Amino acid sequence: MKMQTNFLYALTLFISASFGMLHAQDNNVNTEFGVKGGFNMSNLYGSGDDVDDNNILYGFNAGVYATLPISDFVAIQPEILFTTKGAKLEYSGLVDGDAKFKLNYIEVPLLVRVNITKNFNVHAGGYASYLVSSKVTGSGDIEFNEDVNRDDLNKFDAGIAAGVGVDFDPISIGVRYNYGLTTVGKERTVLGNTYTFPDAKNSNLTLYLSYKLN
């Protein structure tokens, strides 16, 4: 099952739950500042490939956010997050185990948030990330733990993001999907041949909880 399908299931669940529980109210968007964190399900996808739920690496995100109204229903929502991404490969045969490719980013989403009701919102926009560390680890019959030189990877990532949220003032919960548009690996030329390794982009589904401080 593709990760996009999982996101659509989660989106439908949030919409059904919110409209089942919440009454339509004034759709006012207020200025907010707060902290947030969540659970990541990340993966890598290659050029021309669909994103699926094979090789998912579980991680987390944490940071701060602001909601800045531009109308009664619409706001700009910038965030600054520390977030983990990457992928996991399981193997079996002569040896059994798994290998994890871990990427840690400082990520800055910039989203347009629209309140459908006072307690339910949809948001979409883009994000830019800076790679702060990377490593590969292995467990099973073969164990290893090695840092990956960031100079061998693209230090900047960018993509599009979309999600939904439900507000229970001062706490909010939500789900968001990030679709990377930049390859993780750098393009390089060796002996006249040009290649990119890894020739893959980030994909990340997040379940988050936020807490309003003001």
Side-chain angles (χ1 to χ4, degrees), residues 152-154 182-188 196-200:
D152 293 333
L153 304 172
N154 268 327
T182 304
T183 56
V184 172
K186 282 184 176 179
E187 186 177 274
R188 57 188 70 235
T196 302
F197 182 81
D199 187 10

Side-chain angles (χ1 to χ4, degrees), residues 14-204:
F14 269 83
I15 292 175
S16 301
S18 61
F19 282 103
M21 296 184 300
L22 306 173
H23 301 290
Q25 306 177 45
D26 295 334
N27 294 359
N28 294 331
V29 179
N30 299 313
T31 300
E32 294 182 15
F33 300 95
V35 295
K36 64 180 303 184
F39 173 70
N40 287 352
M41 293 174 283
S42 59
N43 201 350
L44 298 173
Y45 72 97
S47 300
D49 293 336
D50 292 326
V51 181
D52 57 35
D53 56 6
N54 295 323
N55 307 323
I56 287 178
L57 180 68
Y58 297 103
F60 71 95
N61 66 88
V64 296
Y65 75 96
T67 301
L68 309 174
I70 58 176
S71 77
D72 287 342
F73 311 99
V74 181
I76 301 299
Q77 183 166 306
E79 301 175 358
I80 301 176
L81 307 171
F82 177 85
T83 187
T84 64
K85 297 183 181 181
K88 175 181 177 180
L89 174 64
E90 295 183 350
Y91 54 88
S92 60
L94 295 177
V95 292
D96 297 328
D98 64 64
K100 298 176 182 177
F101 180 41
K102 300 179 179 180
L103 302 166
N104 297 325
Y105 290 94
I106 298 296
E107 185 167 284
V108 182
L110 184 61
L111 308 164
V112 176
R113 167 175 164 163
V114 179
N115 273 27
I116 305 302
T117 74
K118 187 174 182 178
N119 301 88
F120 176 76
N121 71 81
V122 297
H123 50 269
Y127 73 86
S129 300
Y130 180 75
L131 181 66
V132 294
S133 65
S134 55
K135 67 168 50 181
V136 289
T137 64
S139 60
D141 294 338
I142 301 176
E143 297 187 358
F144 52 90
N145 188 337
E146 299 291 338
D147 291 334
V148 176
N149 190 336
R150 292 188 306 127
D151 291 336
D152 293 333
L153 304 172
N154 268 327
K155 293 180 182 178
F156 292 94
D157 182 35
I160 55 178
V164 295
V166 181
D167 302 319
F168 304 97
D169 192 15
I171 294 174
S172 300
I173 59 174
V175 59
R176 181 183 301 166
Y177 179 64
N178 286 4
Y179 186 79
L181 300 176
T182 304
T183 56
V184 172
K186 282 184 176 179
E187 186 177 274
R188 57 188 70 235
T189 300
V190 177
L191 300 177
N193 296 315
T194 300
Y195 70 97
T196 302
F197 182 81
D199 187 10
K201 302 173 184 178
N202 284 306
S203 170
N204 187 42

